[in-house]
Amino acid sequence: MTSSASPAPPDAGAAHTGRRVLINTGALTSASLWRIAISFVLQILIARQLGLEGLGHYTIAMAYLNVSQVIVELGLPTLLVRDLAQAPTHRRTYFRWSLGIQLVTSLLTWGGLILLSFALPFAPVTAASLWLVGASLPLYAVTATAETLFQAGERMELVMGVEVVINTLILLFSLGVLWLGGDELVLIAVIIATQAISAAVCLLLLARSRLLAAPQEATPVALRPLLRRTLPFFGLALSDVLLQRLDILLLGFIAGPAVTGIYSAAYNVVRVLMKMIQSFWRALYPTLSRLQRHAVDRYARLQALSLRFGLLAVLPAAAISFGVAPDLMRLLFGGDYGAAAAVYRILIWAAPLFLVEVYAITLLMIEHHLRASLWVSALHIASIVIFVPLLTPVAGANGAALAVVIGGVVGSGVSVGLLHSQGIPLQAVGIGKMVVAALVAGAIALLLPAPWLVNCLLAAGVYGAISLMTGVLTLDDFRTLRRILLTSRAE
C-alpha cells in the first residue's frame, strides 16, 4: 500500500522505537511494582490482623487464582502479542476469537475448581476460596483479552493505568474488610468486585484507544490450528506461573499454613525483584519481536545490552539486600522476623538466575524455538517438585528456599545451553567481574557496623566504583544504548 505523505526523516523510526521501549518498559515495570507493592502491603496487614495461618490461607488461595488465570488464557495473549505486533490489521478478528475462547475456558476452569473442592480433602476455608476464585475468572477473561491488544499495539501505558487503578481499589476495599473484621473469604470476594471493574475499564479504554479502528482485515480463523499454535505458549505460561506458585502449593500440603506464612513473608520481598525482571522482558518482547523481523542488527544489540544492564542492576540488589536482610525484614514486618530473614538470604539468589532464564526464554520464543523454551521450564519445575518435598521436612522454610534456588540453577543453566545449541550465544561480557563487584558490595553491607541504610549506600557506591574501574560499566554503555534507540536506522 502506498501513501502520498512525505517520507519520515531517517531517524524517525528509531526515535519512535526508543520512545516506545522506554514508555513500555517504564509502564509495565511501574504497573508491576505497584501491583507487587499492593500485594505486599496486604500480606503485611493480613499477617498482623489474621496471623501467619491467615496469611498462609490467603497466599494459597492466590496461588490457585494465578494458576487458574493462566489456564483461562490458554496461551493466547503471548501468541497474539507477537503476531498482532507484526500484523495490526488482524486485531479486530482475533479480539473476537480470543474473547470467546477465554470466556469458555473461564467457565470450564471454574467448574474444575468446584470439582476440586469436593474431590480433595481441603479445609473448609480452602474449599470455599476455590469457589470464590472461580467466580472472578469470566471477568478476568475480558481484561486479559483487552490487555493483549494494548500490548500488541505497544500501548503498555494503558495496561499500567488499569493495573494501578484496580490494585489501588483492591487495597482500599481490603483495608475496609480488615477494619470491619472480615476474614480471608471476604478478602477473596474483593477480588471478584475489582475484577468486574477492571473488565469494564479495559473495554472503555479499548474503545477510546482506537486499536480496533480501520483499516482492519476480516481474516479467516480456523479454531483447531489456532489452538494448536497456542499450545507451546500455554505450556510456557503455565510453566511460568508454576515456577512462581508451585512452591506455595507444595508447602500448603507439606508444611501447612504457618510455615507457608514464614516463607511467604520472605518470598514476597524477593518477588518484587522477580516481577520487575519479568516486566522488563515482557515490555521488550513486542519490540524485540518486531526488530527481529525488520531490523536484525538492532535486535541483536538491544537484547544484548538489555541483559547487560539487567545483570548490572540485579546482582548488587541481591548481594546488598542479603547483607541487611534482618533489618529489612524488621522494617517491613516489625517484631522478630529472624526466620523470614534466613529464608530471604537463601531465596534472593534465585533472582539473578531468573533474569538469565527469562532472557533466554524470551529470545527462544522470538526465534520460534518454543519447544526448547518448554524444556527449560519443564526441567526447572521438575527440580522444584523433587527438591521442595525433599528439603522442606529437613530444614522447613529454609529448605524450600534452597530448593527454589536449585531450580533456578537448573533453569538458567539449561536455558544458556539451549541458546548456544540454537546459535544464539549468551551476550554478557564481564559477568565474572559483575559477580565479584556484587559480592564485595554484599560483604560491605553485611560487615560494616554503620546503620543498615548507610551500609546500603556505601555498598552501592563501592559496587559502582568497582564496575567503572574494571570496565564492567562505562559511559560508552549509555552512549551505545542511546545510539541503538535514538539514532538513525541503517535500513
Side-chain angles (χ1 to χ4, degrees):
M1 183 172 66
T2 61
S3 172
S4 59
S6 300
D11 62 346
H16 174 73
T17 297
R19 286 192 297 271
R20 272 292 115 198
V21 168
L22 296 176
I23 291 172
N24 291 343
T25 304
L28 278 190
T29 301
S30 299
S32 183
L33 277 176
W34 186 248
R35 182 173 61 252
I36 294 299
I38 294 298
S39 175
F40 187 65
V41 169
L42 281 177
Q43 298 280 341
I44 295 173
L45 294 173
I46 292 169
R48 294 185 176 184
Q49 292 293 115
L50 303 179
L52 282 177
E53 288 199 11
L55 175 62
H57 283 305
Y58 184 80
T59 303
I60 292 169
M62 291 301 100
Y64 278 102
L65 174 62
N66 295 150
V67 173
S68 298
Q69 288 174 340
V70 169
I71 295 173
V72 168
E73 292 177 348
L74 209 63
L76 282 166
T78 308
L79 170 67
L80 295 182
V81 165
R82 186 194 71 183
D83 289 356
L84 295 181
Q86 300 171 354
T89 56
H90 296 167
R91 289 173 186 163
R92 186 180 299 168
T93 297
Y94 280 97
F95 171 75
R96 293 168 180 166
W97 277 92
S98 178
L99 180 58
I101 291 170
Q102 291 188 66
L103 285 174
V104 171
T105 56
S106 68
L107 294 174
L108 293 175
T109 305
W110 189 3
L113 289 173
I114 292 173
L115 292 176
L116 195 63
S117 69
F118 288 112
L120 297 179
F122 287 122
V125 172
T126 302
S129 70
L130 295 185
W131 286 62
L132 290 173
V133 160
S136 71
L137 296 179
L139 300 165
Y140 175 77
V142 178
T143 297
T145 304
E147 290 191 346
T148 297
L149 291 189
F150 298 158
Q151 293 180 59
E154 298 185 53
R155 297 291 302 279
M156 273 62 163
E157 68 274 14
L158 297 180
V159 178
M160 181 186 71
V162 173
E163 294 289 338
V164 168
V165 169
I166 298 309
N167 283 284
T168 301
L169 290 178
I170 289 175
L171 176 61
L172 294 176
F173 292 168
S174 298
L175 283 173
V177 166
L178 292 172
W179 179 265
L180 295 174
D183 60 9
E184 300 95 314
L185 295 180
V186 185
L187 290 172
I188 297 172
V190 167
I191 303 298
I192 302 174
T194 53
Q195 195 65 70
I197 298 171
S198 175
V201 170
C202 279
L203 291 177
L204 177 62
L205 289 175
L206 184 60
R208 294 175 63 89
S209 69
R210 299 186 58 80
L211 287 171
L212 296 178
Q216 291 291 313
E217 298 176 7
T219 180
V221 177
L223 180 59
R224 185 171 295 178
L226 175 62
L227 294 180
R228 192 181 302 118
R229 291 174 63 213
T230 68
L231 285 178
F233 294 97
F234 173 62
L236 288 170
L238 186 61
S239 299
D240 178 64
V241 74
L242 288 177
L243 287 175
Q244 298 184 49
R245 290 304 194 183
L246 184 59
D247 48 358
I248 298 295
L249 297 177
L250 290 173
L251 283 175
F253 286 108
I254 296 170
V259 172
T260 303
I262 293 172
Y263 178 87
S264 297
Y267 175 72
N268 278 285
V269 182
V270 177
R271 191 165 176 254
V272 174
L273 186 56
M274 287 189 163
K275 278 296 182 182
M276 289 180 63
I277 292 168
Q278 194 174 47
S279 295
F280 177 71
W281 290 113
R282 182 184 170 198
L284 286 171
Y285 176 69
T287 302
L288 287 171
S289 295
R290 175 164 51 81
L291 293 178
Q292 190 269 341
R293 183 170 180 175
H294 299 295
V296 177
D297 290 342
R298 292 178 60 232
Y299 159 73
R301 284 180 289 166
L302 181 58
Q303 55 95 348
L305 202 59
S306 298
L307 175 63
R308 181 177 176 81
F309 275 88
L311 288 170
L312 282 168
V314 172
L315 285 171
I320 294 171
S321 63
F322 172 91
V324 300
D327 296 290
L328 180 62
M329 293 294 106
R330 195 176 302 115
L331 172 69
L332 295 172
F333 292 97
D336 183 12
Y337 273 84
V343 174
Y344 179 86
R345 280 181 160 168
I346 300 170
L347 198 59
I348 187 59
W349 297 108
L353 297 170
F354 185 68
L355 172 72
V356 174
E357 182 174 344
V358 177
Y359 158 81
I361 288 175
T362 300
L363 293 190
L364 289 170
M365 286 194 299
I366 292 171
E367 301 277 352
H368 297 268
H369 301 300
L370 300 180
R371 193 182 299 271
S373 300
L374 286 171
W375 270 110
V376 175
S377 300
L379 291 173
H380 192 159
I381 289 171
S383 301
I384 294 176
V385 170
I386 292 170
F387 287 104
V388 168
L390 284 177
L391 298 179
T392 301
V394 176
N398 288 349
L402 181 59
V404 170
V405 173
I406 291 173
V409 172
V410 171
S412 59
V414 171
S415 67
V416 171
L418 286 174
L419 279 182
H420 280 278
S421 71
Q422 300 294 341
I424 314 171
L426 185 69
Q427 303 281 348
V429 178
I431 190 171
K433 295 176 181 178
M434 294 183 203
V435 171
V436 171
L439 292 178
V440 172
I444 291 173
L446 176 66
L447 300 174
L448 283 185
W452 72 279
L453 285 175
V454 174
N455 283 0
C456 287
L457 293 174
L458 290 174
V462 169
Y463 176 81
I466 294 176
S467 298
L468 288 170
M469 287 188 297
T470 58
V472 170
L473 179 65
T474 68
L475 295 178
D476 284 339
D477 289 326
F478 297 99
R479 297 191 189 103
T480 300
L481 180 63
R482 179 178 176 82
R483 187 164 57 249
I484 290 174
L485 296 178
L486 300 178
T487 59
S488 48
R489 289 195 295 185
E491 73 275 12

